[in-house]
């Protein structure tokens, strides 16, 4: 058992391979958080918690005249409400009598083997190689009988703890949840912590920001109904001195695809509290007597070995424990060409076959028919919702088109945007009430489209039925699932007035049900997610999609930053990345080298490439295969920070046995007559000798030399050159 309960001390110690997390049933039965960090034994760490008389911080009634016990100054596992703790809280509930109060104290606990699951929400899965134990600890308000079960699954080898909370209304009347977080994490000393987050915008997702905690509430959030381009549902708290190799790093990845918040408060005593969960803005949820409400899960990891190790913990876990699709590991993903930047809406079946023929010579193995193949869809004003083939464009019909592609030895993929509807569509004409629009108001348009009320069963069933109909009608190998606007005008025509605050969350639950009904029922189809690029790239989506389109921005130099930022939490094998015609000054080989820091593919009109360009692409497609295992399954190292004014951007993928590595270096700036530059490798076997090839030279050096002295990068070259250095142990 990775979880040890000491009955005498009333402590729970949750052990992963390299970390310990400790909580304790403390005085007055409040559950205290004592520790999360490098492995310790099960000793009771209550000695860390000191009590003082803190002015203006209230004391629970039962502490009588004892003024040194205040919830405002004690580390807790989950918060109370209106019990004298004035910091950010993890629960706000309006009780059946109208009061806002929750005084949760230990009630019971149980422990079992395996991971917890949640109602309607994705969770990580235990594989046969994992040791996973779960603690469920119940706190209860003795007056209202509202219980919150704190769920912890400890993935021992992975150094990951998955947390969530389940509210149970054990009272007799309806309650309304105004805020309910998935995780509450108290730090007794938060003075020297930095907050790392991944802000961005459309076309520039997952950039990196790092800021010191100061005495206020730091809030990272999306209120856009999707996890968003603007903030990613991932944050880390790291030591001020932490760098790639050293220092404490705490990572939190929320498994949720809708509006979320992560808040961190540095309080008056320099304690820090972090909460993360569903965004409480435009949220309220009625829970009837006897009913449960589950929060999404959070994946937490800790390491004292710096940011790289934190990222590796996530990369390994995301590859192993999120998605059972055979396309994660067992079946090699084909090189694809996508028609979007090649033709936009302007294509027909013949054009697709032409592109496929030309692309085959580039080493492409699959063509993806993007937006524009269905309903009346010649631009973005119409057609969404009508998932029937447009026979004016696909004149031969879908099965025939797919078999023509298959006859070329290629696979076929298709695009959908299930959650949306155009006003000019048969679906909208038949069911105008399926679109979200608040009565008496006109809904916000975005890309000329409206959002379907995916919280409704009949809408979910329509999507499952119509999309499965297409998928089952032809030999489809791949699906790109897109969403191209944020969600506004939250309203459902089938819910009463007092439940409209539930729509945003019900939408997400509905979406997961639709995805279960389409994706999980098609194990032989490979699914890629997309939200106008990477606007919904999160760990919940990766339980469905083996890869996610990173950004609509295919400019290679911008992608250097995008990949760097994404790599803080997401592995290379999940980041969709294509070679396009954007940035003509960058050679196609460099574009391909950069796209190989992702799933690799093309996004251009292959019929317009010269013979020479086709040949170059063919060569780069060959590298994709050659380096597939290293890129997809190796350990990824950030070697330079592209947000700094660097001349070279470099990263490295090292095989698990460290005997092979791919070092990629891109020259982004060449100073005239500048100094020789070196890149230091990481993660190699220090005492073994490697052969290095990649810049026209071949030489040997020990791992030690390559890591401490580095690799000299040629200077007399055109700007924007990329080098793919292949390192292989020779003795
Ligand atoms: C946004 C996606 O990110 C693009 O790749 C493309 O699929 C368009 N939508 C199609 O409308």
């Amino acid at each position: 058992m990775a979880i040890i309960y000491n009955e005498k001390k009333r402590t729970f110690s949750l052990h992963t391979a390299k970390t310990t997390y400790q909580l304790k049933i403390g005085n007055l039965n409040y559950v205290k958080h004592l520790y999360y960090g490098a492995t310790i034994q099960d000793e009771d760490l209550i000695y860390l918690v000191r009590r003082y008389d803190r002015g203006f911080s209230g004391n629970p009634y039962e502490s009588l005249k004892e003024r040194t016990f205040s919830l405002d100054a004690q580390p807790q596992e989950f918060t109370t409400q209106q019990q004298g703790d004035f910091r950010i809280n993890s629960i706000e509930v309006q009780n059946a009598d109208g009061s806002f109060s929750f005084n949760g104290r230990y009630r019971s606990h149980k422990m079992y083997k395996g991971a917890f699951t949640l109602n309607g929400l994705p969770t990580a899965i235990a594989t046969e190689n994992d040791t996973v134990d779960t603690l469920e600890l119940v706190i209860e308000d003795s007056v209202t009988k509202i219980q919150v079960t704190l769920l912890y699954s400890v993935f021992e080898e992975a150094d990951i703890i998955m947390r969530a909370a389940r509210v149970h209304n054990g009272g007799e009347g309806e309650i309304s949840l105004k805020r309910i977080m998935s995780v509450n994490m108290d730090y007794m000393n938060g003075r020297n912590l930095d907050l790392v987050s991944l802000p961005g915008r459309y076309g520039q997702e997952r950039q990196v920001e790092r800021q010191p905690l100061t005495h206020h509430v730091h809030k990272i959030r999306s209120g856009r109904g999707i996890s968003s381009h603007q903030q990613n549902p991932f944050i880390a708290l790291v030591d001020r001195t932490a760098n790639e190799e050293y220092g404490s790093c705490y990572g939190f990845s929320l498994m949720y695809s809708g509006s979320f918040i992560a808040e961190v408060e540095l309080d008056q005593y320099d304690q820090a509290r972090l909460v993360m969960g569903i965004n409480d803005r435009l949220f309220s949820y009625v829970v009837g007597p006897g009913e449960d409400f589950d929060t999404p899960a959070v994946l937490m990891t800790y390491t004292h070995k710096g940011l790289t190790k934190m990222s590796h913990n996530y990369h390994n876990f995301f590859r192993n424990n999120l998605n059972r699709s055979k396309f994660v590991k067992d079946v090699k993903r084909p090189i694809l060409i996508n028609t979007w930047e090649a033709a936009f809406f302007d294509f027909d079946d013949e054009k697709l076959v032409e592109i496929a023929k030309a692309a085959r010579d580039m080493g492409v193995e699959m063509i993806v028919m993007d937006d524009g193949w269905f309903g009346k869809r010649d631009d973005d004003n119409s057609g969404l919702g009508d998932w029937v083939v447009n026979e004016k464009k696909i004149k031969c019909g879908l099965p025939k088109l797919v078999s023509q592609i298959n006859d070329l030895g290629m696979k076929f993929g298709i695009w959908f945007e299930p959650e949306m509807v155009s006003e000019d569509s048969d679906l909208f004409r038949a069911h105008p009430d399926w679109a979200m629009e608040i009565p008496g108001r006109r809904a916000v348009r975005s890309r000329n489209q409206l959002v379907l009320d995916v919280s409704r069963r009949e809408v979910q069933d329509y999507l499952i039925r119509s999309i499965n109909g297409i998928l089952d009608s032809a030999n489809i190998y791949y699906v790109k699932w897109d969403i191209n606007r944020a969600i506004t005008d939250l309203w459902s025509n089938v819910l009463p007035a007092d439940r409209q605050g539930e729509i945003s969350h019900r939408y997400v639950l509905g979406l997961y049900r639709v995805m279960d009904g389409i994706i999980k029922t098609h194990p032989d189809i490979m699914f890629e997610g997309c939200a106008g690029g990477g606007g919904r790239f999160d760990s919940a989506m990766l339980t469905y999609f083996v890869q996610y389109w990173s950004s609509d921005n295919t400019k290679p130099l911008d992608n250097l930053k995008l990949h760097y930022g994404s790599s803080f939490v997401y592995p290379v094998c999940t980041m969709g990345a294509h070679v396009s015609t954007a940035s003509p000054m960058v050679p196609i080989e460099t574009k391909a080298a950069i796209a190989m820091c992702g799933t690799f593919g093309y996004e251009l009109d292959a019929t317009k490439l010269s013979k020479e360009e086709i040949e170059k692409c063919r060569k780069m497609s060959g590298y994709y295969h050659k380096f597939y295992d290293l890129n997809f399954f190796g350990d990824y190292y950030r070697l330079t920070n592209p947000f700094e004014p660097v001349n070279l951007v470099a990263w490295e993928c090292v095989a698990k046995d460290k005997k092979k590595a791919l070092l990629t270096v891109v020259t982004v700036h060449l100073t005239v007559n500048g100094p020789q530059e070196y890149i230091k490798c990481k993660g190699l076997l220090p005492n073994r000798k490697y052969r290095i090839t990649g810049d026209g030279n071949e030489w040997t050096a020990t791992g030690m030399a390559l890591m401490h002295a580095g690799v000299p990068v040629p200077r007399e070259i055109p700007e924007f050159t990329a080098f793919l250095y292949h390192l292989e142990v020779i003795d």
Side-chain angles (χ1 to χ4, degrees):
M1 242 304 163
I3 302 172
I4 295 174
Y5 176 51
N6 182 326
E7 249 184 281
K8 217 164 127 219
K9 306 273 188 195
R10 306 224 289 173
T11 54
F12 297 87
S13 300
L14 283 50
H15 296 291
T16 68
K18 302 210 172 67
T19 71
T20 300
Y21 183 107
Q22 194 180 77
L23 51 140
K24 179 183 175 81
I25 307 161
N27 44 328
L28 304 180
N29 275 343
Y30 289 107
V31 183
K32 284 185 198 302
H33 175 72
L34 293 185
Y35 181 73
Y36 188 26
T39 301
I40 52 157
Q41 300 302 317
D42 303 316
E43 69 187 282
D44 184 356
L45 294 191
I46 190 66
Y47 75 86
L48 295 171
V49 183
R50 297 301 165 106
R51 284 164 49 175
Y52 307 98
D53 182 355
R54 297 290 198 184
F56 281 82
S57 295
N59 318 110
Y61 172 78
E62 293 88 334
S63 56
L64 301 174
K65 297 229 177 299
E66 168 56 68
R67 288 170 35 171
T68 63
F69 181 67
S70 170
L71 295 176
D72 206 23
Q74 296 283 307
Q76 291 160 66
E77 215 32 50
F78 208 71
T79 70
T80 52
Q81 181 184 214
Q82 289 218 88
Q83 304 300 320
D85 183 347
F86 298 96
R87 293 172 285 174
I88 49 173
N89 61 0
S90 32
I91 181 165
E92 267 172 36
V93 53
Q94 184 165 28
N95 298 312
D97 63 2
S99 65
F100 288 85
S101 183
F102 177 75
N103 192 7
R105 305 190 207 196
Y106 173 79
R107 156 86 203 238
S108 62
H109 73 270
K110 67 176 179 191
M111 299 189 287
Y112 53 86
K113 291 236 156 281
F116 67 78
T117 55
L118 298 170
N119 291 320
L121 288 159
T123 48
I125 41 187
T127 69
E128 57 285 2
N129 303 323
D130 297 315
T131 317
V132 183
D133 294 298
T134 294
L135 165 66
E136 293 193 4
L137 186 143
V138 181
I139 56 175
E140 185 184 64
D141 182 291
S142 58
V143 176
T144 60
K145 303 292 178 211
I146 295 171
Q147 296 182 345
V148 179
T149 303
L150 307 178
L151 303 152
Y152 306 81
S153 284
V154 182
F155 289 77
E156 198 174 330
E157 296 82 0
D159 281 324
I160 295 276
I161 298 178
M162 176 169 71
R163 276 189 72 171
R166 172 170 295 144
V167 177
H168 175 73
N169 180 359
E172 282 171 6
E174 281 183 346
I175 60 169
S176 178
L177 286 174
K178 307 292 182 197
R179 171 182 172 100
I180 179 72
M181 295 293 105
S182 301
V183 64
N184 182 97
M185 176 71 77
D186 279 5
Y187 295 82
M188 290 180 220
N189 183 356
R191 195 181 309 139
N192 292 315
L193 288 176
D194 282 356
L195 169 64
V196 177
S197 60
L198 303 177
R201 56 188 182 272
Y202 171 74
Q204 301 279 359
E205 297 87 338
R206 295 175 301 287
Q207 313 287 297
V208 183
E209 251 173 35
R210 180 168 173 168
Q211 51 184 304
L213 290 191
T214 52
H215 291 95
H216 69 277
V217 179
H218 302 249
K219 188 163 180 168
I220 305 293
R221 69 175 185 101
S222 160
R224 295 167 186 262
I226 56 176
S227 40
S228 89
H229 304 81
Q230 287 72 14
Q231 292 288 353
N232 196 263
F234 161 79
I235 63 167
L237 286 180
V238 306
D239 273 353
R240 187 124 325 136
T241 52
N243 60 20
E244 288 288 0
E245 273 110 18
Y246 309 104
S248 284
C249 299
Y250 298 84
F252 301 85
S253 166
L254 180 69
M255 298 185 74
Y256 193 60
S257 312
S259 297
F260 73 92
I261 48 171
E263 292 177 348
V264 186
E265 179 174 6
L266 186 66
D267 77 4
Q268 53 186 337
Y269 306 120
D270 287 352
Q271 304 174 113
R273 169 170 291 167
L274 173 149
V275 297
M276 196 174 198
I278 297 171
N279 194 337
D280 55 359
R281 209 168 133 219
L282 304 179
F283 172 86
S284 67
Y285 212 100
V286 175
V287 185
E291 287 177 0
D292 287 348
F293 179 93
D294 284 359
T295 71
V298 167
L299 302 169
M300 312 192 305
T301 194
Y302 169 80
T303 176
H304 61 278
K305 292 196 170 158
L307 294 162
T308 301
K309 179 71 172 89
M310 176 190 75
S311 300
H312 286 180
N313 287 355
Y314 279 121
H315 295 177
N316 290 331
F317 194 72
F318 285 13
R319 278 188 295 242
N320 294 331
N321 299 88
L322 291 188
N323 194 325
R324 287 210 164 98
S325 164
K326 65 183 181 186
F327 296 102
V328 174
K329 281 194 188 157
D330 302 338
V331 174
K332 194 172 188 184
R333 295 184 221 163
I335 300 178
L336 67 82
I337 190 161
N338 181 292
T339 59
W340 182 242
E341 287 184 36
F344 296 103
F345 296 103
D346 184 18
F347 62 84
D348 61 10
D349 46 1
E350 285 154 24
K351 172 84 182 163
L352 292 175
V353 174
E354 273 172 39
I355 294 180
K357 274 188 189 150
R360 189 177 53 168
D361 293 339
M362 295 156 59
V364 168
E365 299 156 308
M366 175 164 76
I367 182 163
V368 176
M369 177 171 72
D370 208 280
D371 195 353
W373 59 266
F374 52 89
K376 190 182 125 217
R377 183 81 170 164
D378 296 320
D379 53 34
D380 57 20
N381 286 307
S382 59
L384 287 173
D386 295 342
W387 301 113
V388 286
V389 174
N390 178 334
E391 292 192 344
K392 284 199 187 121
K393 285 183 171 178
I394 312 301
K395 301 181 287 289
C396 62
L398 189 61
K400 186 87 191 297
L401 170 63
V402 178
S403 66
Q404 285 182 63
I405 299 293
N406 290 164
D407 289 346
L408 295 172
M410 294 174 77
K411 301 179 193 320
F412 186 88
I414 194 167
W415 177 98
F416 290 94
E417 188 177 0
E419 301 148 72
M420 296 292 145
V421 65
S422 308
E423 284 158 278
D424 184 2
S425 68
D426 292 342
L427 183 70
F428 187 76
R429 281 182 281 275
H431 299 286
D433 62 315
W434 284 11
M436 286 206 271
E437 193 158 45
I438 299 172
R441 299 172 196 271
R442 300 314 307 270
V444 170
R445 268 67 183 157
S446 183
R447 211 193 186 204
N448 311 317
Q449 58 199 52
L450 295 175
V451 184
L452 284 173
D453 177 5
V454 179
S455 73
R456 280 172 73 164
R457 272 266 158 165
E458 60 272 54
V459 175
Q460 297 163 18
D461 291 340
Y462 165 76
L463 293 175
I464 294 172
R465 202 174 51 247
S466 57
I467 292 171
N468 282 350
I470 294 285
L471 297 186
D472 298 338
S473 72
N475 186 23
I476 288 166
Y477 195 80
Y478 160 107
V479 168
K480 176 175 172 189
W481 183 308
D482 203 353
I483 170 172
N484 282 298
R485 61 162 290 178
I487 299 171
T488 58
D489 302 273
L490 293 167
W491 179 263
S492 181
N493 286 309
V494 291
L495 281 184
D498 66 338
R499 302 197 85 138
Q500 294 295 329
E502 299 175 14
I503 308 298
S504 180
H505 181 55
R506 282 179 180 270
Y507 179 98
V508 180
L509 294 176
L511 172 64
Y512 293 143
R513 181 172 175 267
V514 173
M515 288 170 43
D516 280 331
I518 297 172
I519 299 179
K520 302 283 175 179
T521 56
H522 288 90
D524 291 328
I525 297 183
M526 171 183 157
F527 287 84
E528 173 162 358
C530 176
R536 200 164 58 183
F537 195 156
D538 56 61
S539 51
M541 281 290 149
L542 293 180
T543 65
Y544 293 97
F545 300 119
V546 292
Q547 58 194 53
Y548 211 95
W549 181 225
S550 295
S551 182
D552 273 357
N553 180 354
T554 51
K555 287 177 104 175
L557 301 184
D558 282 349
N559 277 321
L560 293 171
K561 291 181 178 156
L562 187 85
H563 292 161
Y564 173 88
S566 306
S567 77
F568 273 70
V569 61
Y570 304 106
V572 168
C573 63
T574 62
M575 294 183 220
H578 295 169
V579 176
S580 79
T581 53
S583 305
M585 74 289 186
V586 177
I588 208 156
E589 295 98 319
T590 301
K591 292 177 178 179
I594 295 171
M596 253 180 255
C597 182
T599 58
F600 193 72
Y602 296 91
E603 182 104 11
L604 41 74
D605 186 347
T607 62
K608 298 212 172 104
L609 295 186
S610 66
K611 264 198 170 154
E612 201 194 350
E613 286 169 321
I614 296 258
E615 203 36 56
K616 285 180 178 166
C617 290
R618 191 178 179 76
K619 185 172 126 213
M620 297 315 288
S621 298
Y623 284 139
Y624 166 80
H625 291 294
K626 180 167 177 191
F627 299 128
Y628 184 85
D629 284 349
L630 284 172
N631 281 329
F632 273 55
F633 310 122
D635 287 333
Y636 172 90
Y637 291 88
R638 296 174 286 268
L639 301 182
T640 59
N641 179 351
F643 290 94
E644 287 171 358
V646 285
N647 294 336
L648 306 175
V649 175
W651 62 94
E652 191 189 7
C653 292
V654 182
K656 289 283 174 195
D657 67 3
K658 301 178 189 290
K659 290 185 177 163
K660 281 186 185 169
L662 176 67
L663 162 66
T664 307
V665 184
V666 181
T667 58
V668 288
H669 182 63
L670 273 178
T671 46
V672 174
N673 197 22
Q676 172 62 50
E677 303 220 36
Y678 301 87
I679 292 290
K680 292 181 181 173
C681 295
K682 289 187 179 171
L684 303 178
L685 297 164
N687 296 316
R688 302 297 293 272
K689 196 162 247 183
Y690 291 81
R691 180 192 306 113
I692 304 123
T693 50
D695 61 9
N697 301 305
E698 180 177 323
W699 75 101
T700 62
T702 57
M704 223 175 315
L706 293 167
M707 291 193 290
H708 301 308
V711 171
V713 180
R715 285 199 43 79
E716 303 308 318
I717 48 166
E719 218 153 26
F720 309 128
T721 299
F723 297 104
L724 294 173
Y725 289 101
H726 191 201
L727 284 66
E728 200 163 1
V729 163
I730 49 164
D731 61 35

